[in-house]
Amino acid sequence: MVVYAGQGDPRRSIELLWRGSTVENRPGPKPGLSVDAIVDAGIAVADEQGMAFSMRAVGERLGRTAMALYTYVPGKNELVDLMYDRTMAELPTSYPLDDGWRPAVTQWAHDMWEFYGRHPWVLQVSQARPVLGPHEFAVTEELARILVSTGLPGRRLRGIVGAINYFVRGAAQTIVEARAAGGATGEADEEWWYARSAVLLEIQPDLEKKFPMLHLLETDREPIDPTLPYLENDALENFRGGLKVLLDGVEGAVAKP
Amino acid sequence: MVVYAGQGDPRRSIELLWRGSTVENRPGPKPGLSVDAIVDAGIAVADEQGMAFSMRAVGERLGRTAMALYTYVPGKNELVDLMYDRTMAELPTSYPLDDGWRPAVTQWAHDMWEFYGRHPWVLQVSQARPVLGPHEFAVTEELARILVSTGLPGRRLRGIVGAINYFVRGAAQTIVEARAAGGATGEADEEWWYARSAVLLEIQPDLEKKFPMLHLLETDREPIDPTLPYLENDALENFRGGLKVLLDGVEGAVAKP
DNA sequence: TCCAATACTTTACGCCATAAAGAATCAACG
DNA sequence: CGTTGATTCTTTATGGCGTAAAGTATTGGA
């Protein structure tokens, strides 16, 4: 299940995102938890166990039952929203433009790529309905700021911002899920690929003849960095190459009106 | 939950994908179903109800219990794999190159975009572990074929193929999920956005000053086609713009060595 | 005719999110 | 100082999910 953002009461969600919890002097037992603590626990659990994290797991990590969380947070969806936005706080929001927009965008993209690698579950949070939280805003604002310095009009930049976002996300997703495929250890990785490929070639021996272009793409390789596992090499190379082409396109748009 | 492809026995999965079910004369009652029928039912259910489709629902549509499906298919993951690959069969796999690669790629991308619109659940199927089915191969092979005609070496094309895929997927995801946000009818769409935005502006009145670049991007609009709903306009415009930039980048790569 | 394989159902298990109700705790008011 | 009412947290229960296990009915071949 992709987690859709903000199914619940929009007011409550947005207040939580932008205001945090307002604590006054109220009757009743002192709260033993806080929204912040719950969000942090949620992030920790998700980082460890992926999106299979559950309210039970988050509660357990805090020494409570799952239901205790519902005192602070309307439901799982809203918690995910908060986790999503909170995590984004760790991204830089100020890139120097001294060398122009291109190095800045490149750095932004690489940071984003690494961010997704650190928090794979973020990629599962629905994208289209933006969470509309402050940190997500800040991160996108920064990309916009960098790109505005190209001089291109906003109406053209919107597609570009989207393209860069989609690209980084997609590329990150590829590597992240490929890693996950290997299992918890991250080691059985190549074996998994190998098992699949072997069976595939056994069943379809003439695969390379049936799909000659894919074969061509697969086999025309640059020398790889032997210190990295195969998949990381592959993904990083493709990421750099794709980003380069994308930014070349932007450059073209900047050059001619 | 994003549905990961192929958790089970790789041999069984791949055989199902590439060979279909082998039916001989065996003892026991005649099968009342077939893998094909189940896959079709699965696609129908998913098209209607989104990824919340369940084994029970698929079984029901065929007048069986959920467990009956397990006679034909190892599990839900494998069924999703089969659905995924089967759906892709409806995509064209031969674009004319008479006018060069660019119109062909553009058409490929638009077809893909519409495909995702027809089958939104496909976007939820895990990307990174490719399903490795014949139709997915064919679709990607075709994109590769088009791009090989640019004369670029395979090693450079790999990043480009990735970038185009990610972009189309991302852009489609945005519009598809935005549609879904509106609810089953697809009508409450703008209202949903409006509700969120209104609350956001109420809580953060100086939003536009805090994020001036986003504001700039948002407000610099082209005249829109009044026959389409707002969101479709927006998404389509961004899709075209982003794709153009991306392909400009490819063109740049083609021009200079 | 009987055996063994097959198709399918029923039942059950362990997850999940979360609704509903109850127990314990505390500030404020009479 | 005792009571009230709000608040935190637990317990229990509901209805969903994928699928394991066991049972029943059906069939081709020996």
Side-chain angles (χ1 to χ4, degrees):
Chain A
M1 169 193 55
V2 162
V3 181
Y4 285 91
Q7 309 280 32
D9 177 17
R11 160 157 276 107
R12 175 91 187 270
S13 294
I14 294 196
E15 278 181 354
L16 275 172
L17 276 168
W18 289 83
R19 281 222 267 252
S21 46
T22 25
V23 184
E24 304 139 33
N25 237 8
R26 296 139 97 214
K30 298 287 169 216
L33 297 180
S34 66
V35 175
D36 278 3
I38 291 174
V39 172
D40 284 343
I43 292 174
V45 172
D47 281 349
E48 286 169 19
Q49 338 214 327
M51 237 339 178
F53 98 104
S54 64
M55 293 302 262
R56 273 177 175 78
V58 177
E60 223 157 277
R61 170 173 282 257
L62 295 164
R64 303 291 138 94
T65 65
M67 287 313 291
L69 309 181
Y70 287 85
T71 310
Y72 300 87
V73 155
K76 193 188 182 186
N77 286 329
E78 287 79 0
L79 174 54
V80 170
D81 285 1
L82 293 169
M83 287 163 54
Y84 178 74
D85 201 67
R86 164 82 57 89
T87 329
M88 290 225 147
E90 71 188 47
L91 283 163
T93 52
S94 165
Y95 292 86
L97 287 173
D98 308 327
D99 302 330
W101 60 269
R102 187 150 179 163
V105 174
T106 306
Q107 192 57 48
W108 184 96
H110 273 87
D111 287 347
M112 210 69 194
W113 154 281
E114 275 170 14
F115 169 80
Y116 287 131
R118 279 195 303 276
H119 307 288
W121 54 270
V122 169
L123 290 164
Q124 251 118 302
V125 175
S126 167
Q127 156 110 309
R129 286 226 231 174
V131 174
L132 299 181
H135 296 116
E136 189 192 34
F137 264 56
V139 168
T140 313
E141 166 80 9
E142 177 61 11
L143 176 58
R145 205 200 100 233
I146 297 171
L147 286 169
V148 164
S149 77
T150 59
L152 287 171
R155 119 190 59 92
R156 302 205 50 191
L157 286 180
R158 237 173 314 131
I160 294 174
V161 166
I164 294 176
N165 252 317
Y166 302 148
F167 171 73
V168 174
R169 235 184 122 98
Q173 203 148 20
T174 302
I175 176 69
V176 155
E177 293 184 2
R179 266 189 220 146
T185 65
E187 221 207 336
D189 209 20
E190 324 239 340
E191 293 162 35
W192 185 88
W193 280 101
Y194 186 74
R196 289 280 275 216
S197 309
V199 177
L200 189 53
L201 273 175
E202 183 192 320
I203 293 182
Q204 284 285 329
D206 56 344
L207 200 69
E208 298 166 1
K209 272 151 214 152
K210 273 194 173 167
F211 304 104
M213 301 302 165
L214 290 179
H215 183 60
L216 192 152
L217 259 62
E218 273 306 303
T219 46
D220 182 22
R221 303 215 157 268
E222 298 184 39
I224 57 175
D225 177 351
T227 65
L228 286 178
Y230 183 72
L231 259 163
E232 309 271 338
N233 260 299
D234 210 37
L236 193 58
E237 184 193 320
N238 291 349
F239 177 67
R240 290 221 181 96
L243 186 60
K244 182 180 180 313
V245 169
L246 189 51
L247 297 187
D248 284 350
V250 177
E251 209 147 291
V254 175
K256 50 184 182 180
Chain B
M1 168 193 54
V2 163
V3 182
Y4 285 91
Q7 310 279 31
D9 177 17
R11 160 157 276 107
R12 175 91 187 270
S13 294
I14 294 196
E15 277 181 354
L16 276 172
L17 276 167
W18 289 83
R19 281 221 267 252
S21 46
T22 25
V23 183
E24 305 139 32
N25 238 8
R26 296 138 98 213
K30 298 284 173 219
L33 297 179
S34 66
V35 174
D36 278 3
I38 291 174
V39 172
D40 284 343
I43 292 174
V45 172
D47 281 348
E48 285 169 21
Q49 337 215 329
M51 238 335 175
F53 99 104
S54 64
M55 296 300 268
R56 280 176 173 82
V58 177
E60 222 157 280
R61 170 173 280 257
L62 295 164
R64 303 291 139 97
T65 63
M67 287 313 293
L69 310 181
Y70 286 86
T71 310
Y72 301 86
V73 153
K76 193 188 182 187
N77 285 328
E78 286 79 1
L79 174 54
V80 170
D81 285 0
L82 293 170
M83 288 163 53
Y84 177 74
D85 201 67
R86 165 84 55 89
T87 329
M88 289 226 150
E90 70 187 48
L91 283 163
T93 52
S94 165
Y95 292 86
L97 286 172
D98 308 327
D99 301 331
W101 60 271
R102 186 151 179 162
V105 174
T106 306
Q107 192 57 49
W108 184 95
H110 274 87
D111 288 346
M112 210 70 195
W113 154 281
E114 276 170 14
F115 169 79
Y116 287 130
R118 279 195 304 276
H119 307 290
W121 53 271
V122 169
L123 290 164
Q124 251 117 301
V125 176
S126 168
Q127 153 115 308
R129 285 226 230 176
V131 173
L132 299 179
H135 296 117
E136 190 192 34
F137 263 58
V139 168
T140 312
E141 166 81 9
E142 178 61 12
L143 177 58
R145 204 201 100 234
I146 298 171
L147 285 169
V148 164
S149 77
T150 58
L152 287 171
R155 119 189 60 90
R156 302 205 51 189
L157 286 181
R158 236 174 312 131
I160 293 174
V161 167
I164 293 175
N165 252 317
Y166 303 147
F167 172 73
V168 175
R169 233 183 124 97
Q173 202 147 21
T174 302
I175 176 69
V176 155
E177 293 184 2
R179 266 189 219 144
T185 65
E187 223 208 336
D189 209 21
E190 325 239 337
E191 293 160 36
W192 184 88
W193 280 99
Y194 186 74
R196 289 280 276 215
S197 308
V199 176
L200 190 52
L201 274 176
E202 183 193 320
I203 292 182
Q204 284 286 328
D206 56 343
L207 202 68
E208 299 165 0
K209 272 151 215 152
K210 273 195 173 166
F211 303 104
M213 301 303 165
L214 291 179
H215 183 60
L216 193 151
L217 259 61
E218 273 306 303
T219 47
D220 182 24
R221 303 214 157 268
E222 297 184 39
I224 58 175
D225 178 351
T227 66
L228 287 177
Y230 183 73
L231 259 163
E232 309 271 339
N233 260 299
D234 211 37
L236 194 58
E237 184 193 320
N238 291 349
F239 178 67
R240 290 220 181 96
L243 186 61
K244 181 180 180 313
V245 169
L246 190 51
L247 297 188
D248 283 351
V250 178
E251 209 147 291
V254 175
K256 47 181 184 179

